Amino acid sequence: MKAAIVLVCLMACGPSNGDDVMGDGGPGSDGSGNGKLIATGGVSNAPLGGTLHVFAVENNSATPIANAAVQVGTLTGKTDASGLATFNDASLTGKVTITVSAPGHAAATWVGVTGANVTVPLETTPRNVPTATVTGTITGFDSLGAIPLGHYHLGVVLYSFLNDPSAPENSLVQPTVSGAPADACVDSSSGGTGSCSWSLVTRIGPQVHFALILDGDSKFTASDTSDDTYTLIGYAAGSTVTMATGQTMAGEALTMVPASQNFAVTFPPAPGGLGTTIAIPELELDGGAGRIVFPVPAVNPGHTSTKVITPTGNLAGHYEVVALATPNATATTPYATAFVHNVTTSAAVPAWLAQPTALAAGATFSFTGTGAYVTAQISRAKQPLWDITILDGSTSFTLPTVTPDPIGSGMTNFGVNLADAPGFDAGSFDVASATASLVRVAGAQTSFTR
């Protein structure tokens, strides 16, 4: 038995709050002439005036990467121990293209940079997501009541997601025990008295562990779960905990939480070619512990309401909605997605953003489509090779020579994501707050061989 949540993979940066995230140090500096790092990546201090500070950091952090190679047109340099490379040249005006590369990381190119302070995050490759392990029980799972013939009680334990839906931490693979997911409990006894012991591979950092409690209808085909249907009984949840890399926490007891709040979603017409649309309500917890997701029952144009947890006590927060349109239930590309922020008991999904078309890869990479900004990724076997961020509306780009070549040879994917971000300022944004403000994204992918 398992519950699946499909969230589209997108590279994200978006609208900032409009403030100069670098402070008042003047163009290209923090007041000392040395530049200043933007914690998770971004641009500030536009316009360029002959001086450019480029920091390289680990993705989703402020950890500097030393000795990274930086190219700005014909100018080249290396980052120091603080992750900084500084360039002084009269050609550094208007907009520039910056490429940063480092061993063990995907390369990154930012096109159309107009600010004098730039922090470029690099993804580790191959991706190595730190994890922890939790084991526990669900209090009251053995007293849910009698189970009808052909039915069973199912508890699926999850961890609160990071706010960025593209984060690999949100899709950790769970181990199995005798073919069954270790993070799930099944009780098919007629009296409903079976207990629940579970084991969960989770992300690190502040989080809440919770469980979906479901009534499963086997359709009297016990050996085939593909036709099973599920009815929500309720939830169970623990307290906020902070997990460290490699940590094992044992004996967590999740206590029952009722599905007491009605929640409704209004959908726009499906975009052409993307006829499968869903929405996933989420509870963003106060204090930075992440988001509890509510995937069951599926919310779609044919079933627009569900029951969610009331945000109170340890689970205080506010609701968000992630909506997704794809060609079918298993496809992840092309796609359109929408984010509805800070809602109460209902949400209206905005009209879907048109997906990019005419993707072409070769000496020049190109596409058709518009957005406030564009991100692209060159990848192979789900591993990032080169990340591209386009800040000036360009629909084509060429990549500089990097040694060793990050792309290499073989069948390779080229994906493009268009972002609708009202108020986005390419000369002043930071990735973390921008990602949280996304409204609409649409993407597509093609393959090429080098």
Side-chain angles (χ1 to χ4, degrees), residues 114-159:
T114 59
N117 269 298
V118 184
T119 299
V120 178
L122 300 184
E123 290 192 272
T124 301
T125 183
R127 282 175 172 152
N128 181 23
V129 180
T131 62
T133 301
V134 184
T135 63
T137 60
I138 299 177
T139 303
F141 188 79
D142 57 357
S143 57
L144 292 173
I147 302 175
L149 185 64
H151 287 237
Y152 53 90
H153 289 157
L154 172 65
V156 181
V157 180
L158 303 168
Y159 52 88

Side-chain angles (χ1 to χ4, degrees), residues 22 26 28-29 35-36 38 42-45 52-53 55 115-119:
M22 302 305 296
S29 82
K36 187 175 180 181
I38 306 171
V43 175
S44 191
N45 293 96
L52 175 65
H53 302 288
F55 282 91
N117 269 298
V118 184
T119 299

Side-chain angles (χ1 to χ4, degrees), residues 258-274:
S260 56
Q261 178 65 62
N262 292 315
F263 195 93
V265 177
T266 302
F267 289 85
L274 306 181

Side-chain angles (χ1 to χ4, degrees), residues 436-447:
S437 302
L438 284 170
V439 176
R440 300 186 301 173
V441 179
Q445 180 175 281
T446 190
S447 298

Side-chain angles (χ1 to χ4, degrees), residues 217-273:
D217 184 350
S218 71
K219 308 298 182 184
F220 294 100
T221 57
S223 61
D224 178 11
T225 61
S226 63
D227 61 349
D228 290 12
T229 58
Y230 302 97
T231 302
L232 180 66
I233 296 175
Y235 301 93
S239 300
T240 300
V241 296
T242 299
M243 303 299 296
T245 301
Q247 178 184 355
T248 296
M249 184 177 77
E252 182 177 26
L254 307 183
T255 58
M256 293 291 178
V257 180
S260 56
Q261 178 65 62
N262 292 315
F263 195 93
V265 177
T266 302
F267 289 85

